[in-house]
Each structure stands twice: as C-alpha cells, then as structure tokens.
Amino acid sequence: MKLQRKNMLRASALGALVVSGALVLTACGSDDNTKATDGTAKPSAAAAGDIKCEGAKGKLLASGSSAQKNAVDLWVKDFMAACSGVEVNYKSSSSGEGIVAFNQGTVGFAGSDSALKPEQVEESKKQCTGGQGIDLPMVGGPIALGFNVAGVDKLNLDAATIANIFNDKIKKWDDEAIKKLNPGVTLPSTAIQHFHRSEDSGTTENLTKYLKAAAPDAWPHEAAKKWAAPGGLGASGSSGVATQVKQVDGSIGYFELSYATSQNIKTVDLNTGAAAPVKATGENASKAIAAAKISGTGSDLALKLDYTTKAEGAYPITLVTYEVVCDKGNKAETLPTVKAFLNYTASDAGQKVLLENGYAPIPAEINAKVREVIASLS
C-alpha cells in the first residue's frame, strides 16, 4: 500500500512537471509560427547532408534584426542538429542593436534590415583587423500591413492612403479615400489606431523608404529607422506590434509576414498601379527583390530595391535582411562556425526554408555572389 501510494505521488509530480514545462514552452512560442507544439522550432526540409560543419565548434553569438528571427530559429535548429558540439545563439533585438554589438566585437555576425552606413563601416574596422564590415543579403520578405477591423476581411490600400493613415491624416476607417479603394466593402466609422515600432528598426526604415518613394507628397518625413510621424502608438519589436494589432479593433500596423501568419492577422493587398492589387506573399516579394541592383562595392553586397515597381504580382514593401560580417579579421575561434553556418543559410536548402515559412529567398544570381564572398571570409 505504501509502495502504491509512493508510485502515485511520483506519477503526480512527474505529470505536474510535464504540464509546467509545456506551459513555459507554449508561452515562449505563442506568437511564432516556426514553433512546434513542444515550443521548439519546427524541423525544416533540410537534410543533414545539406549542412557541412567544416570545422565548426564551440559557441557562436549573434544578434540583431527581429525580422529574420523566425528564419534564423529554423536555421539554428538544423545546424545544431547536424553539427555536434556547436551552439549558435541568435539574440533577436533590433538591427541597430545588432550592429552596435558587432562593432563592439561581442558577436560573430549581426542581422540588419538595412545596409551598413559609412560611419558604421568605419567603426567596424576597429574589430575587423585589416578589413571591414560587409553586408551579405540572406533573408528577403514582405513587410505586411496587418489590420484588425471588425467585419472587414479584405482591404486594399495604396501608398498615399497608407501614408495618410500613418501620418495621422486619415482617422476613420470609412474615410472616402479608403472607400474609393474598396468598392462594395462595408467599412465602419471606427477610429483608426495605428501602431509602429518604438525602437530604431530596419523594418521601419524599409516601410518609410517605400512611402517616401511611392507617395512623396503624402509622406513628408525622411526614411529612417526611428519613427517620425505624429500620433499612433509604439510597440517593441515586430512581435509587439503584431500583438497590439491582434488585440485592438480598428488597428493597423506593420511587421514581417511570418508574424501575421502566426497570429492569423489579416493583411492589406497593395494597389501598386498593376492590373490587380498585390498580396503580401513570399513569392510576390521575391518578384520585387529580383529587380534589385547591387549597390555595394567589393565584397559588400548591399542592394538597392525598387519601391515604386508596378510589375504584375510584385509586392514592393519588402525588406532584405543582411548578415553583417568582417570580410577580413574575423576572430579565429569563431570564423569556422560563422562560415559553416552562413554556407548553410545561403545554400539551396537553407533558402528553401525561407519560402516555406513566409519569407522570400534571395534571387539565385545575387545568392551565387553571396556564396563566393562567404568562401573568401578570413
């Protein structure tokens, strides 16, 4: 009897631990569609044979863009499963914070939604002995405009209307400018609550580059990482903005498509001047990125995007996330791991992971150059 009671107590305790662990893991992955039910990143389509460990060892720290977090989580899971004894730790914060950490020498690479500025390149030379920081385009994707308006399942907007909404000029959802773009849709008189990133963000910079290029008369502010328009409310990270939009009726905000997908947030179709409004999808973002030109020099592969494209099916509110590394002067203890990890992310298998999770692969011609540069890192 005592033994039976002891076993029952032990089973009860184990059950409590399992439930507790499940709750913790669920909370950690609650807004992330790259997480499995146990809270870990879902396995990607990559096979172990797609990953070459090539001397990778020890711990590699990286940080930066929250836009690429969901993709990096998948890559890290694949890489660590294939390369025994290797730990890759990517801290999702912001592009600005990632570049600061890189230039302070505390991370092996940084993720950034915008290319290095000249002063940042100059600063990087202190850490990249005999070299400098360079930009390697690795993750593409649409910046979705997520909305939550009761009774409205589909919404078309153009650049000028988006600019006027986020510039606090259009204040109600039944405004004539919005009604004109959505014939046959019953729009409520609900007040518009727009959300933006509270911290410096490459996502903000890319959205404002689009607004400045496509609606210059409606968007008087400079394209920048720091939000400059009046009104609205700030939230931390793409996940923070998405959470607010999910919770607030009458709201609109901007974030990477994976955040909209994971929280079942409806997204705006973009009236670009093409024959039909364009949906925010990985495929449509790839069509826009394919027209990008390399603006960097030497090993730097920074891209110049065309935010005013009217090509059929091309979604122009896109971002490209760069991995920022030293072309020369990388730390000897982390260089093999940096190269092996980036070789996987730039591989066909690594890029396939992007399309399967709401991102956009880097066009093949550009990606071939990325692989060449990774091979030359020293």
Side-chain angles (χ1 to χ4, degrees), residues 8 18-19 50 69 76 92 113 118 120 123 174 177 190 194 199 205 214 223-224 245-246 262-263 284 292 320 337:
M8 289 175 65
V18 169
V19 171
D50 295 322
K69 177 187 182 299
V76 167
S92 170
D113 305 340
Q120 293 171 329
E123 184 72 15
D174 62 352
T190 308
H194 50 93
E199 75 283 14
E205 184 172 29
V245 171
K246 177 73 172 179
S262 66
Q263 297 199 45
N284 290 345
V320 171
T337 308

Side-chain angles (χ1 to χ4, degrees), residues 250-323:
S251 62
I252 186 170
Y254 59 93
F255 31 79
E256 294 67 42
L257 181 62
S258 62
Y259 292 93
T261 303
S262 66
Q263 297 199 45
N264 295 315
I265 297 172
K266 296 182 285 289
T267 61
V268 169
D269 292 348
L270 205 60
N271 187 330
T272 65
V278 184
K279 294 186 178 298
T281 68
E283 293 90 341
N284 290 345
S286 281
K287 291 176 184 177
I289 296 170
K293 306 296 183 186
I294 294 176
S295 60
T297 58
S299 296
D300 188 272
L301 300 179
L303 301 178
K304 181 176 178 59
L305 300 171
D306 180 6
Y307 293 101
T308 61
T309 180
K310 294 179 174 59
E312 297 300 324
Y315 185 87
I317 315 181
T318 59
L319 60 77
V320 171
T321 293
Y322 301 94
E323 310 311 340

Side-chain angles (χ1 to χ4, degrees), residues 60 224 373:
L60 172 63
V373 174

Side-chain angles (χ1 to χ4, degrees), residues 25 44 56 89 136 186 209 222 289 361:
L25 291 169
S44 77
N89 187 333
L136 300 179
T186 302
K209 280 181 178 178
E222 292 302 315
I289 296 170

Side-chain angles (χ1 to χ4, degrees), residues 119-143:
E119 61 271 21
Q120 293 171 329
V121 173
E122 194 61 33
E123 184 72 15
S124 73
K125 293 178 181 179
K126 298 176 183 177
Q127 298 298 331
C128 304
T129 308
Q132 64 180 47
I134 58 172
D135 304 287
L136 300 179
M138 198 68 70
V139 181
I143 299 173

Side-chain angles (χ1 to χ4, degrees), residues 178-251:
I178 301 177
K179 289 167 69 174
K180 185 177 179 180
L181 292 166
N182 295 275
V185 177
T186 302
L187 294 162
S189 60
T190 308
I192 296 174
Q193 177 61 70
H194 50 93
F195 289 94
H196 57 265
R197 290 282 288 273
S198 57
E199 75 283 14
D200 286 5
S201 160
T203 310
T204 295
E205 184 172 29
N206 281 279
L207 173 66
T208 55
K209 280 181 178 178
Y210 164 75
L211 294 175
K212 189 68 175 175
D217 293 337
W219 190 257
H221 316 287
E222 292 302 315
K225 291 182 179 180
K226 186 175 182 62
W227 187 256
L233 293 174
S236 179
S238 293
S239 61
V241 176
T243 297
Q244 291 299 320
V245 171
K246 177 73 172 179
Q247 294 174 348
V248 178
D249 182 32
S251 62

